[in-house]
Amino acid sequence: MGFNATEAELAAKADKRMQQALATADASRDDYYDSTPAEPLSTQDINRMAWRSLALQASFNYERMQAGGWLFTLIPALRKIHRQPEDLSNSMRMHLEFLNVHPFDVTFLSGIVLAMEQNKEKLSTIRAVKVALMGPLGGIGDAMFWLTWLPICAGIGASLALEGSLFGPILFLLLFNALHFGLRFGLAHYGYRTGLGALHLLKTSTKKISHAASIVGMSVIGALIASYVHLSTPLQIHAGAARIELQTGVLDKLMPNLLPLGFTLLVYSLMKKGFSPVKLIGLTVVFGVLGKLIGFL
């Protein structure tokens, strides 16, 4: 009983210290209180990160997408890297920001981020690298897994199953997951080594890399707006007997996808004013339904 009580007291004290750190940590701080690079992570640490990445989408939501699973993936390594509770809380807060990446090649990004965390790079630099890489990794993952490897494995398994072989679905799972897990763990170690190899460059060119990553990230966001935000109007402009389509005759000639861009900027401005993503989703639904009913959209 005495041993259990001692364990409970230690756990309570640790929890209290963490709560105090979360309350006092400076959210606007861009660097860590302890800027001394941490000890390198072990192979077991990287493998543990890769295993935990399987839960990347366990808490998927439309506010922060995969942020909860992303932080769950990194927590053991972050605890080993950041000894000061304030640094750990600032790092955790940053990694709870929006993230959306392919779940199979996410470990490459995790490895790079952990190498940067180990070197105590600035939070803005780590954030910029995350934003710059999550879009390209999503496209590569979709092309490699969903559009290539999955149809190949499914075709082989289905052909055997149609012939009455019970080995068909088993072979499908074996083939698909051989590449899946091979890349998941291989990319984790490769990403970490790549990050370590680039630390000198990061240290001497932090501002340039952060600026370049920000440019790439903004380009990705711009492409996502044009691809995923669909907004058009059927309104017409009447000038005597002439009728001009407002969308194709005016807006598209000024700038293609002008309405999606404007709506995105409106949502961004409302978010900056304190509107929660859940409220913005509700407003978007109401705006879409009303716009359709009155003939504006």
Side-chain angles (χ1 to χ4, degrees):
M1 181 63 70
F3 176 78
N4 292 335
T6 302
E7 290 291 323
E9 290 174 0
L10 291 175
K13 290 180 180 179
D15 183 62
K16 185 177 180 180
R17 286 196 299 269
M18 179 56 67
Q19 291 179 358
Q20 292 174 345
L22 289 171
T24 59
D26 186 359
S28 63
R29 191 180 180 93
D30 192 33
D31 58 351
Y32 291 117
Y33 291 97
D34 181 7
S35 59
T36 304
E39 292 293 325
L41 297 174
S42 65
T43 301
Q44 290 76 15
D45 293 327
I46 302 301
N47 287 338
R48 187 180 184 186
M49 176 268 287
W51 278 116
R52 291 171 72 95
S53 69
L54 292 169
L56 178 69
Q57 304 197 99
S59 62
F60 185 92
N61 61 82
Y62 287 103
E63 181 175 353
R64 301 188 182 188
M65 293 293 183
Q66 302 161 332
W70 167 261
L71 179 58
F72 174 79
T73 300
L74 302 180
I75 278 180
L78 293 179
R79 290 184 183 277
K80 185 174 181 179
I81 290 171
H82 300 296
R83 298 298 184 180
Q84 289 199 18
E86 294 83 0
D87 288 343
L88 178 60
S89 64
N90 280 336
S91 177
M92 292 172 63
R93 182 182 289 108
M94 186 268 292
H95 287 301
L96 270 178
E97 295 172 358
F98 177 91
L99 183 94
N100 189 24
V101 68
H102 197 280
F104 288 0
D105 59 12
V106 65
T107 52
F108 176 72
L109 179 58
S110 305
I112 292 177
V113 165
L114 287 181
M116 297 177 70
E117 289 278 9
Q118 177 194 322
N119 198 52
K120 305 297 179 70
E121 294 294 332
K122 291 186 176 181
L123 295 173
S124 59
T125 304
I126 299 174
R127 181 185 293 111
V129 170
K130 284 173 55 181
V131 173
L133 288 181
M134 66 181 181
L137 286 176
I140 293 172
D142 287 341
M144 178 181 295
F145 289 99
W146 303 147
L147 302 180
T148 304
W149 189 240
L150 179 62
I152 292 174
C153 297
I156 296 173
S159 63
L160 291 176
L162 289 173
E163 295 177 0
S165 174
L166 294 176
F167 191 61
I170 298 175
L171 181 62
F172 161 68
L173 292 174
L174 290 176
L175 287 176
F176 183 77
N177 285 298
L179 179 65
H180 165 210
F181 281 97
L183 281 178
R184 184 179 290 271
F185 283 84
L187 287 175
H189 291 276
Y190 179 72
Y192 182 66
R193 291 195 303 269
T194 301
L196 289 179
L199 286 181
H200 176 70
L201 177 62
L202 287 170
K203 201 166 187 177
T204 57
S205 307
T206 297
K207 290 185 178 180
K208 293 181 180 179
I209 293 173
S210 179
H211 181 64
S214 299
I215 294 175
V216 174
M218 294 302 295
S219 301
V220 171
I221 292 173
L224 290 176
I225 292 173
S227 301
Y228 290 101
V229 181
H230 301 287
L231 189 65
S232 61
T233 177
L235 296 180
Q236 297 179 341
I237 299 176
H238 298 274
R243 293 184 179 181
I244 302 175
E245 297 288 340
L246 179 60
Q247 181 68 51
T248 58
V250 179
L251 297 179
D252 287 347
K253 291 184 177 180
L254 290 174
M255 184 198 313
N257 296 307
L258 180 60
L259 285 180
L261 175 62
F263 183 74
T264 303
L265 293 176
L266 173 63
V267 171
Y268 177 74
S269 65
L270 292 175
M271 183 175 292
K272 294 287 286 184
K273 292 181 180 179
F275 280 70
S276 69
V278 176
K279 289 182 180 179
L280 292 175
I281 291 172
L283 289 175
T284 301
V285 172
V286 172
F287 175 72
V289 172
L290 292 179
K292 181 65 176 180
L293 290 176
I294 64 178
F296 175 70
L297 299 177

